[in-house]
Amino acid sequence: MTTVNTPIIAFNRPYLTGKEAHYLYQAVLSQKLSGNGEFTRRCHDFFEKRYGFGKCLLTTSCTDALEMCALLAGIGPGDEVIVPSFTFVSTANAFLLRGANIVFADSRPDQPNIDETAVEALVTPRTRAIVCVHYAGVACQMDALSDIARRHNLLLIEDAAQAVDSYFNGKPLGGIGQLAAFSFHETKNIHSGEGGMLAVNDPSFFSKSEIIWEKGTNRSAFFRGEVDKYNWVEMGSSFLPSEITAAFLWAQLENLDLIQKRRLQIWENYRAGLADLETSGDLRLPAIPGFATNNAHLFYVLTHGAAVRERLLTRLKAAGINAVFHYLSLHASPFFRKKHDGRSLPWSDFYTENLVRLPFFFEMTDEQQGRVIEELRAFFR
Ligand SMILES: *Cc1c(COP(=O)(O)O)cnc(C)c1O
Protein backbone atom coordinates (compact mmCIF):
# COMPACT_ATOMS: atom_id res chain seq x y z
CA MET A 1 0.00 0.00 0.00
CA THR A 2 1.31 3.43 -0.87
CA THR A 3 0.33 6.38 1.25
CA VAL A 4 0.68 10.11 0.75
CA ASN A 5 3.99 10.14 2.61
CA THR A 6 5.81 7.30 0.88
CA PRO A 7 8.67 8.41 -1.34
CA ILE A 8 7.24 6.53 -4.34
CA ILE A 9 6.80 8.74 -7.37
CA ALA A 10 3.70 7.64 -9.25
CA PHE A 11 3.63 7.54 -13.02
CA ASN A 12 0.34 9.45 -13.13
CA ARG A 13 -2.00 11.08 -10.63
CA PRO A 14 -5.29 12.37 -12.04
CA TYR A 15 -5.64 16.05 -11.21
CA LEU A 16 -8.73 17.47 -9.50
CA THR A 17 -9.32 21.19 -9.92
CA GLY A 18 -11.49 21.42 -6.80
CA LYS A 19 -14.71 22.32 -8.63
CA GLU A 20 -15.66 18.79 -9.71
CA ALA A 21 -17.76 17.96 -6.63
CA HIS A 22 -19.54 21.32 -6.91
CA TYR A 23 -20.62 20.72 -10.51
CA LEU A 24 -21.52 17.10 -9.78
CA TYR A 25 -23.80 18.36 -7.01
CA GLN A 26 -25.35 20.89 -9.40
CA ALA A 27 -25.98 18.13 -11.90
CA VAL A 28 -27.65 16.03 -9.21
CA LEU A 29 -29.83 18.95 -8.05
CA SER A 30 -30.92 19.62 -11.63
CA GLN A 31 -32.56 16.18 -11.62
CA LYS A 32 -31.47 15.80 -15.23
CA LEU A 33 -28.77 13.17 -15.07
CA SER A 34 -29.11 11.42 -18.41
CA GLY A 35 -27.00 12.67 -21.31
CA ASN A 36 -27.18 15.74 -23.53
CA GLY A 37 -28.11 18.21 -20.78
CA GLU A 38 -26.73 21.58 -19.70
CA PHE A 39 -23.17 20.45 -18.81
CA THR A 40 -22.90 18.45 -22.02
CA ARG A 41 -23.95 21.56 -23.98
CA ARG A 42 -21.33 23.69 -22.15
CA CYS A 43 -18.58 21.19 -22.98
CA HIS A 44 -19.62 21.02 -26.65
CA ASP A 45 -19.70 24.84 -26.90
CA PHE A 46 -16.30 25.12 -25.28
CA PHE A 47 -14.61 22.96 -27.91
CA GLU A 48 -16.60 24.31 -30.86
CA LYS A 49 -15.81 27.95 -29.95
CA ARG A 50 -12.23 27.59 -28.75
CA TYR A 51 -10.99 25.33 -31.57
CA GLY A 52 -13.56 25.83 -34.31
CA PHE A 53 -14.48 22.13 -34.50
CA GLY A 54 -17.58 21.68 -36.66
CA LYS A 55 -19.72 19.73 -34.23
CA CYS A 56 -18.72 18.10 -30.94
CA LEU A 57 -20.37 15.14 -29.25
CA LEU A 58 -19.17 13.93 -25.85
CA THR A 59 -18.80 10.16 -25.64
CA THR A 60 -18.10 7.74 -22.83
CA SER A 61 -14.56 7.15 -24.15
CA CYS A 62 -12.26 7.83 -27.07
CA THR A 63 -12.78 4.19 -27.97
CA ASP A 64 -16.49 4.94 -28.41
CA ALA A 65 -15.71 8.04 -30.48
CA LEU A 66 -13.53 5.88 -32.75
CA GLU A 67 -16.33 3.33 -33.06
CA MET A 68 -18.63 6.18 -34.09
CA CYS A 69 -16.05 7.14 -36.74
CA ALA A 70 -16.14 3.63 -38.15
CA LEU A 71 -19.97 3.69 -38.28
CA LEU A 72 -20.02 7.16 -39.88
CA ALA A 73 -17.44 6.10 -42.43
CA GLY A 74 -19.72 3.18 -43.35
CA ILE A 75 -16.83 0.75 -43.00
CA GLY A 76 -17.79 -2.82 -43.89
CA PRO A 77 -16.18 -6.23 -44.49
CA GLY A 78 -13.29 -6.09 -46.93
CA ASP A 79 -12.68 -2.35 -46.56
CA GLU A 80 -9.11 -1.44 -45.73
CA VAL A 81 -8.13 1.11 -43.11
CA ILE A 82 -4.56 2.35 -42.69
CA VAL A 83 -3.52 2.67 -39.03
CA PRO A 84 -0.13 3.09 -37.34
CA SER A 85 1.08 -0.03 -35.56
CA PHE A 86 2.50 1.96 -32.64
CA THR A 87 -0.77 3.00 -31.02
CA PHE A 88 -3.42 1.97 -28.54
CA VAL A 89 -5.58 -1.05 -29.42
CA SER A 90 -8.76 1.00 -29.93
CA THR A 91 -7.37 2.91 -32.93
CA ALA A 92 -7.47 -0.33 -34.92
CA ASN A 93 -10.12 -2.29 -33.01
CA ALA A 94 -12.90 0.24 -33.70
CA PHE A 95 -12.60 -0.43 -37.45
CA LEU A 96 -12.00 -4.14 -37.06
CA LEU A 97 -15.36 -4.41 -35.27
CA ARG A 98 -17.02 -3.32 -38.53
CA GLY A 99 -15.14 -5.95 -40.51
CA ALA A 100 -12.30 -3.84 -41.87
CA ASN A 101 -8.92 -5.22 -42.82
CA ILE A 102 -6.38 -3.25 -40.84
CA VAL A 103 -3.27 -2.28 -42.80
CA PHE A 104 -0.57 -1.23 -40.36
CA ALA A 105 1.85 1.59 -41.18
CA ASP A 106 5.26 2.24 -39.69
CA SER A 107 6.36 5.18 -37.51
CA ARG A 108 8.70 8.02 -38.39
CA PRO A 109 12.38 7.57 -37.55
CA ASP A 110 12.50 10.86 -35.60
CA GLN A 111 9.34 10.30 -33.53
CA PRO A 112 6.57 7.70 -33.05
CA ASN A 113 3.92 9.24 -35.33
CA ILE A 114 2.85 7.53 -38.57
CA ASP A 115 5.46 7.92 -41.31
CA GLU A 116 3.49 9.95 -43.85
CA THR A 117 5.99 9.06 -46.59
CA ALA A 118 5.14 5.35 -46.15
CA VAL A 119 1.36 5.72 -46.35
CA GLU A 120 0.66 6.12 -50.06
CA ALA A 121 2.28 2.80 -50.95
CA LEU A 122 -0.32 1.11 -48.71
CA VAL A 123 -3.33 2.55 -50.55
CA THR A 124 -5.31 0.06 -52.68
CA PRO A 125 -8.70 0.33 -54.43
CA ARG A 126 -10.26 -1.06 -51.22
CA THR A 127 -8.76 1.56 -48.88
CA ARG A 128 -11.42 3.71 -47.23
CA ALA A 129 -9.68 5.67 -44.50
CA ILE A 130 -6.39 6.73 -42.96
CA VAL A 131 -6.39 6.98 -39.16
CA CYS A 132 -3.51 9.02 -37.78
CA VAL A 133 -2.53 9.25 -34.11
CA HIS A 134 -0.92 12.39 -32.70
CA TYR A 135 1.42 10.59 -30.33
CA ALA A 136 2.24 12.55 -27.15
CA GLY A 137 0.02 15.32 -28.54
CA VAL A 138 2.57 16.10 -31.27
CA ALA A 139 0.98 16.57 -34.69
CA CYS A 140 1.40 14.15 -37.57
CA GLN A 141 2.36 15.73 -40.93
CA MET A 142 -1.24 16.66 -41.72
CA ASP A 143 -0.59 18.41 -45.05
CA ALA A 144 0.97 15.27 -46.50
CA LEU A 145 -1.75 13.00 -45.07
CA SER A 146 -4.58 15.33 -46.20
CA ASP A 147 -3.08 15.39 -49.67
CA ILE A 148 -2.95 11.58 -49.94
CA ALA A 149 -6.51 11.31 -48.57
CA ARG A 150 -7.81 13.90 -51.07
CA ARG A 151 -6.14 12.35 -54.10
CA HIS A 152 -7.40 8.85 -53.28
CA ASN A 153 -10.80 9.94 -51.97
CA LEU A 154 -10.19 8.56 -48.47
CA LEU A 155 -11.44 9.76 -45.11
CA LEU A 156 -8.79 11.20 -42.83
CA ILE A 157 -9.61 10.43 -39.19
CA GLU A 158 -7.58 11.82 -36.30
CA ASP A 159 -7.06 9.78 -33.16
CA ALA A 160 -6.54 12.92 -31.08
CA ALA A 161 -6.83 11.05 -27.77
CA GLN A 162 -3.63 12.70 -26.48
CA ALA A 163 -3.87 15.88 -28.50
CA VAL A 164 -6.09 18.34 -26.66
CA ASP A 165 -4.90 21.94 -27.11
CA SER A 166 -2.20 21.15 -29.66
CA TYR A 167 -1.68 22.43 -33.20
CA PHE A 168 -0.35 21.66 -36.67
CA ASN A 169 0.87 24.81 -38.44
CA GLY A 170 -1.57 26.89 -36.38
CA LYS A 171 -4.54 24.57 -36.95
CA PRO A 172 -5.97 22.83 -33.85
CA LEU A 173 -5.54 19.06 -33.84
CA GLY A 174 -8.90 17.38 -34.06
CA GLY A 175 -10.08 20.02 -36.52
CA ILE A 176 -8.21 18.86 -39.61
CA GLY A 177 -9.57 15.40 -40.49
CA GLN A 178 -13.24 14.94 -41.38
CA LEU A 179 -13.58 13.21 -38.00
CA ALA A 180 -11.51 13.18 -34.80
CA ALA A 181 -11.64 11.35 -31.48
CA PHE A 182 -10.47 12.72 -28.11
CA SER A 183 -9.99 10.95 -24.79
CA PHE A 184 -10.73 12.21 -21.29
CA HIS A 185 -9.45 9.09 -19.58
CA GLU A 186 -7.77 9.91 -16.27
CA THR A 187 -4.33 9.46 -17.83
CA LYS A 188 -4.89 12.37 -20.27
CA ASN A 189 -4.23 16.12 -19.75
CA ILE A 190 -7.87 16.78 -18.85
CA HIS A 191 -10.20 14.02 -17.77
CA SER A 192 -13.50 12.79 -16.42
CA GLY A 193 -12.27 9.42 -15.17
CA GLU A 194 -13.46 7.78 -18.36
CA GLY A 195 -14.64 10.00 -21.20
CA GLY A 196 -14.15 11.09 -24.76
CA MET A 197 -15.45 13.21 -27.59
CA LEU A 198 -16.10 12.99 -31.29
CA ALA A 199 -15.33 16.11 -33.32
CA VAL A 200 -17.14 16.17 -36.66
CA ASN A 201 -15.60 18.62 -39.08
CA ASP A 202 -17.30 17.57 -42.33
CA PRO A 203 -20.86 19.02 -42.26
CA SER A 204 -22.15 16.11 -44.34
CA PHE A 205 -21.73 13.96 -41.20
CA PHE A 206 -23.46 16.35 -38.74
CA SER A 207 -26.93 14.88 -38.76
CA LYS A 208 -25.86 11.25 -38.99
CA SER A 209 -23.37 11.63 -36.12
CA GLU A 210 -26.10 12.87 -33.79
CA ILE A 211 -28.33 9.93 -34.74
CA ILE A 212 -25.61 7.32 -34.20
CA TRP A 213 -24.86 8.98 -30.83
CA GLU A 214 -28.51 8.61 -29.75
CA LYS A 215 -28.98 4.86 -30.40
CA GLY A 216 -29.89 5.30 -34.05
CA THR A 217 -32.81 7.62 -33.34
CA ASN A 218 -33.53 11.21 -34.35
CA ARG A 219 -34.17 12.09 -30.71
CA SER A 220 -31.89 15.17 -30.76
CA ALA A 221 -33.85 16.64 -33.67
CA PHE A 222 -37.07 15.80 -31.80
CA PHE A 223 -35.93 17.75 -28.73
CA ARG A 224 -35.12 20.73 -30.94
CA GLY A 225 -38.67 20.52 -32.29
CA GLU A 226 -37.52 19.67 -35.82
CA VAL A 227 -39.59 16.46 -36.04
CA ASP A 228 -42.84 15.63 -34.25
CA LYS A 229 -41.91 12.13 -33.08
CA TYR A 230 -38.68 10.32 -32.78
CA ASN A 231 -37.92 7.19 -34.70
CA TRP A 232 -35.32 4.58 -35.45
CA VAL A 233 -33.65 6.08 -38.52
CA GLU A 234 -30.08 4.63 -38.64
CA MET A 235 -27.76 2.06 -37.11
CA GLY A 236 -26.46 3.48 -33.83
CA SER A 237 -25.65 2.79 -30.20
CA SER A 238 -25.53 4.47 -26.80
CA PHE A 239 -22.46 6.64 -27.07
CA LEU A 240 -23.42 9.67 -24.98
CA PRO A 241 -22.24 9.99 -21.39
CA SER A 242 -24.47 11.07 -18.50
CA GLU A 243 -24.49 14.62 -17.15
CA ILE A 244 -22.37 13.37 -14.25
CA THR A 245 -19.44 12.80 -16.58
CA ALA A 246 -20.03 16.12 -18.37
CA ALA A 247 -20.23 18.06 -15.08
CA PHE A 248 -16.89 16.62 -13.99
CA LEU A 249 -15.31 17.43 -17.34
CA TRP A 250 -16.61 20.99 -17.19
CA ALA A 251 -14.55 21.65 -14.04
CA GLN A 252 -11.48 20.50 -15.93
CA LEU A 253 -12.20 22.55 -19.04
CA GLU A 254 -12.55 25.73 -16.97
CA ASN A 255 -8.98 25.11 -15.83
CA LEU A 256 -7.47 23.99 -19.11
CA ASP A 257 -5.09 26.95 -19.45
CA LEU A 258 -3.81 26.55 -15.91
CA ILE A 259 -3.32 22.80 -16.40
CA GLN A 260 -1.50 23.29 -19.68
CA LYS A 261 0.79 25.98 -18.28
CA ARG A 262 2.01 23.76 -15.45
CA ARG A 263 2.36 20.68 -17.66
CA LEU A 264 4.50 22.63 -20.11
CA GLN A 265 6.78 23.71 -17.23
CA ILE A 266 7.20 20.11 -16.13
CA TRP A 267 7.96 19.07 -19.71
CA GLU A 268 10.56 21.84 -20.09
CA ASN A 269 12.19 20.88 -16.78
CA TYR A 270 12.67 17.34 -18.03
CA ARG A 271 14.07 18.52 -21.35
CA ALA A 272 16.50 20.94 -19.70
CA GLY A 273 17.53 18.44 -17.02
CA LEU A 274 18.23 15.65 -19.51
CA ALA A 275 19.58 17.66 -22.47
CA ASP A 276 23.20 16.66 -22.00
CA LEU A 277 22.32 12.95 -21.91
CA GLU A 278 21.19 13.49 -25.48
CA THR A 279 24.34 15.44 -26.34
CA SER A 280 26.47 12.62 -24.93
CA GLY A 281 24.54 10.11 -27.03
CA ASP A 282 23.14 8.15 -24.05
CA LEU A 283 19.48 8.88 -24.79
CA ARG A 284 17.23 10.45 -27.37
CA LEU A 285 14.73 13.05 -26.20
CA PRO A 286 11.37 13.78 -27.90
CA ALA A 287 11.60 15.53 -31.28
CA ILE A 288 8.96 18.20 -31.97
CA PRO A 289 8.87 18.99 -35.70
CA GLY A 290 8.62 22.65 -36.72
CA PHE A 291 5.02 22.19 -37.87
CA ALA A 292 3.89 20.88 -34.46
CA THR A 293 3.28 22.28 -30.99
CA ASN A 294 3.90 20.51 -27.72
CA ASN A 295 0.87 20.05 -25.43
CA ALA A 296 2.96 18.34 -22.73
CA HIS A 297 0.88 15.20 -22.72
CA LEU A 298 3.82 13.03 -21.78
CA PHE A 299 7.60 13.02 -21.63
CA TYR A 300 9.53 10.10 -23.02
CA VAL A 301 13.14 9.16 -23.56
CA LEU A 302 14.50 6.63 -26.07
CA THR A 303 17.20 4.20 -25.04
CA HIS A 304 19.68 2.45 -27.31
CA GLY A 305 18.37 -1.11 -27.14
CA ALA A 306 15.87 -3.14 -25.15
CA ALA A 307 18.52 -4.38 -22.71
CA VAL A 308 19.46 -0.85 -21.67
CA ARG A 309 15.80 0.03 -21.25
CA GLU A 310 15.23 -3.01 -19.05
CA ARG A 311 18.13 -2.05 -16.77
CA LEU A 312 16.99 1.57 -16.65
CA LEU A 313 13.41 0.65 -15.70
CA THR A 314 14.68 -1.73 -13.02
CA ARG A 315 16.90 0.96 -11.53
CA LEU A 316 14.14 3.58 -11.54
CA LYS A 317 11.76 1.13 -9.92
CA ALA A 318 14.30 0.38 -7.18
CA ALA A 319 14.50 4.12 -6.56
CA GLY A 320 10.71 4.32 -6.13
CA ILE A 321 10.15 5.91 -9.53
CA ASN A 322 7.36 4.51 -11.66
CA ALA A 323 8.53 4.97 -15.21
CA VAL A 324 6.84 2.79 -17.83
CA PHE A 325 7.21 1.69 -21.43
CA HIS A 326 4.34 2.22 -23.85
CA TYR A 327 2.64 0.52 -26.81
CA LEU A 328 3.62 -2.89 -28.12
CA SER A 329 3.44 -2.94 -31.95
CA LEU A 330 -0.10 -4.01 -32.83
CA HIS A 331 0.99 -5.82 -36.00
CA ALA A 332 2.96 -8.24 -33.80
CA SER A 333 0.30 -8.64 -31.08
CA PRO A 334 -0.99 -12.12 -30.15
CA PHE A 335 -4.36 -11.19 -31.65
CA PHE A 336 -3.20 -9.67 -34.91
CA ARG A 337 0.12 -11.37 -35.72
CA LYS A 338 -1.49 -14.03 -37.97
CA LYS A 339 -3.69 -11.49 -39.77
CA HIS A 340 -0.77 -9.15 -40.54
CA ASP A 341 0.56 -9.22 -44.10
CA GLY A 342 4.10 -9.92 -42.96
CA ARG A 343 5.72 -6.55 -43.70
CA SER A 344 8.27 -5.60 -41.09
CA LEU A 345 7.67 -2.27 -39.36
CA PRO A 346 11.07 -1.59 -37.82
CA TRP A 347 10.36 1.85 -36.35
CA SER A 348 7.20 0.71 -34.63
CA ASP A 349 9.28 -2.10 -33.11
CA PHE A 350 11.99 0.40 -32.21
CA TYR A 351 9.58 2.50 -30.11
CA THR A 352 8.09 -0.68 -28.66
CA GLU A 353 11.53 -1.64 -27.36
CA ASN A 354 13.18 1.66 -26.48
CA LEU A 355 10.60 4.15 -25.28
CA VAL A 356 10.35 5.04 -21.58
CA ARG A 357 7.68 7.40 -20.25
CA LEU A 358 8.70 9.33 -17.15
CA PRO A 359 6.36 10.19 -14.25
CA PHE A 360 4.24 13.13 -15.36
CA PHE A 361 1.30 14.75 -13.57
CA PHE A 362 0.06 18.23 -12.74
CA GLU A 363 0.88 18.10 -9.04
CA MET A 364 4.36 16.69 -9.48
CA THR A 365 6.76 18.78 -7.39
CA ASP A 366 10.11 20.16 -8.55
CA GLU A 367 11.71 18.01 -5.88
CA GLN A 368 10.11 14.84 -7.28
CA GLN A 369 11.14 15.81 -10.77
CA GLY A 370 14.68 16.49 -9.58
CA ARG A 371 14.83 12.95 -8.18
CA VAL A 372 13.76 11.43 -11.51
CA ILE A 373 16.28 13.51 -13.46
CA GLU A 374 19.09 12.75 -11.01
CA GLU A 375 18.37 9.00 -11.12
CA LEU A 376 18.54 8.98 -14.93
CA ARG A 377 21.79 10.93 -14.90
CA ALA A 378 23.28 8.61 -12.29
CA PHE A 379 22.32 5.57 -14.40
CA PHE A 380 24.34 6.80 -17.37
CA ARG A 381 27.34 8.02 -15.32
C1 LIG B 1 -5.99 6.85 -24.46
C2 LIG B 1 -6.02 6.52 -25.90
C3 LIG B 1 -7.11 5.89 -26.52
C4 LIG B 1 -8.27 5.33 -25.74
O1 LIG B 1 -8.96 6.28 -25.01
P1 LIG B 1 -10.17 5.82 -24.08
O2 LIG B 1 -10.83 7.14 -23.75
O3 LIG B 1 -9.59 5.14 -22.89
O4 LIG B 1 -11.06 4.94 -24.88
C5 LIG B 1 -7.10 5.70 -27.88
N1 LIG B 1 -6.06 6.09 -28.63
C6 LIG B 1 -4.98 6.68 -28.08
C7 LIG B 1 -3.85 7.12 -28.97
C8 LIG B 1 -4.91 6.91 -26.71
O5 LIG B 1 -3.83 7.49 -26.17
Side-chain angles (χ1 to χ4, degrees):
M1 274 291 289
T2 60
T3 69
V4 179
N5 293 321
T6 60
I8 303 259
I9 301 177
F11 170 66
N12 177 57
R13 292 184 58 161
Y15 176 56
L16 296 176
T17 68
K19 288 294 277 295
E20 285 81 1
H22 173 70
Y23 289 135
L24 288 174
Y25 190 57
Q26 273 192 15
V28 170
L29 288 183
S30 79
Q31 305 207 7
K32 162 75 174 91
L33 287 176
S34 59
N36 204 8
E38 173 59 20
F39 282 108
T40 300
R41 190 192 57 71
R42 277 194 216 174
C43 294
H44 290 174
D45 282 358
F46 177 92
F47 283 102
E48 288 167 11
K49 296 217 170 77
R50 181 168 167 132
Y51 301 111
F53 301 153
K55 179 183 183 63
C56 291
L57 293 170
L58 291 189
T59 56
T60 52
S61 64
C62 178
T63 301
D64 264 1
L66 288 163
E67 287 175 22
M68 286 185 74
C69 291
L71 283 166
L72 281 165
I75 300 293
D79 289 341
E80 293 175 6
V81 178
I82 298 171
V83 178
S85 177
F86 190 75
T87 184
F88 188 64
V89 173
S90 300
T91 319
N93 192 73
F95 297 88
L96 197 117
L97 275 174
R98 308 250 52 87
N101 293 333
I102 306 299
V103 178
F104 282 115
D106 208 359
S107 294
R108 289 169 53 126
D110 63 339
Q111 39 114 324
N113 281 341
I114 193 167
D115 180 354
E116 70 280 359
T117 66
V119 169
E120 192 151 23
L122 304 177
V123 175
T124 76
R126 313 193 75 160
T127 310
R128 298 290 311 285
I130 301 168
V131 188
C132 64
V133 179
H134 307 298
Y135 185 77
V138 174
C140 298
Q141 206 336 330
M142 297 307 282
D143 282 344
L145 294 173
S146 302
D147 184 55
I148 297 166
R150 195 176 323 107
R151 281 188 288 104
H152 295 277
N153 197 24
L154 311 175
L155 285 173
L156 179 57
I157 298 168
E158 295 173 75
D159 180 338
Q162 306 176 9
V164 72
D165 204 46
S166 201
Y167 295 80
F168 168 79
N169 280 340
K171 292 178 219 155
L173 299 186
I176 301 170
Q178 283 97 339
L179 301 167
F182 287 90
S183 175
F184 307 123
H185 184 263
E186 70 175 20
T187 51
K188 307 301 200 281
N189 292 29
I190 50 167
H191 74 101
S192 50
E194 301 277 354
M197 185 179 77
L198 175 73
V200 186
N201 299 308
D202 178 342
S204 71
F205 287 128
F206 282 4
S207 137
K208 195 171 170 186
S209 63
E210 204 174 64
I211 291 166
I212 288 174
W213 191 57
E214 277 274 27
K215 300 107 182 160
T217 73
N218 54 356
R219 185 173 145 132
S220 299
F222 173 71
F223 281 126
R224 285 195 302 268
E226 293 165 15
V227 292
D228 60 2
K229 31 178 112 61
Y230 81 82
N231 255 305
W232 185 16
V233 291
E234 276 282 356
M235 189 156 68
S237 191
S238 182
F239 289 115
L240 74 172
S242 81
E243 279 289 285
I244 296 174
T245 298
F248 191 106
L249 184 64
W250 179 245
Q252 299 265 314
L253 291 181
E254 278 191 328
N255 286 277
L256 177 60
D257 289 323
L258 175 84
I259 291 169
Q260 289 301 91
K261 187 160 175 258
R262 175 62 188 143
R263 292 186 73 100
L264 282 161
Q265 276 171 355
I266 294 171
W267 200 96
E268 266 313 315
N269 286 346
Y270 270 138
R271 200 198 52 77
L274 299 171
D276 51 353
L277 292 182
E278 181 163 63
T279 315
S280 61
D282 289 314
L283 280 177
R284 270 173 57 190
L285 301 185
I288 315 257
F291 55 70
T293 57
N294 174 24
N295 75 344
H297 172 56
L298 58 85
F299 194 94
Y300 65 84
V301 299
L302 297 166
T303 58
H304 295 297
V308 183
R309 181 176 73 173
E310 192 55 43
R311 285 205 309 279
L312 176 61
L313 287 173
T314 306
R315 168 146 187 170
L316 292 173
K317 188 148 202 253
I321 296 166
N322 280 316
V324 290
F325 51 85
H326 211 181
Y327 303 128
L328 307 178
S329 289
L330 294 180
H331 73 280
S333 62
F335 175 65
F336 203 85
R337 188 155 63 209
K338 289 198 190 69
K339 306 185 214 309
H340 181 60
D341 55 29
R343 280 171 301 117
S344 73
L345 302 172
W347 286 107
S348 178
D349 292 341
F350 171 82
Y351 297 109
T352 295
E353 289 174 7
N354 292 287
L355 193 141
V356 176
R357 291 179 292 161
L358 302 181
F360 201 115
F361 50 94
F362 181 92
E363 287 165 303
M364 191 171 193
T365 63
D366 290 348
E367 187 266 329
Q368 286 175 316
Q369 233 195 328
R371 265 179 60 201
V372 179
I373 292 168
E374 188 39 48
E375 204 58 39
L376 273 155
R377 299 177 66 86
F379 175 80
F380 287 106
R381 246 184 324 257

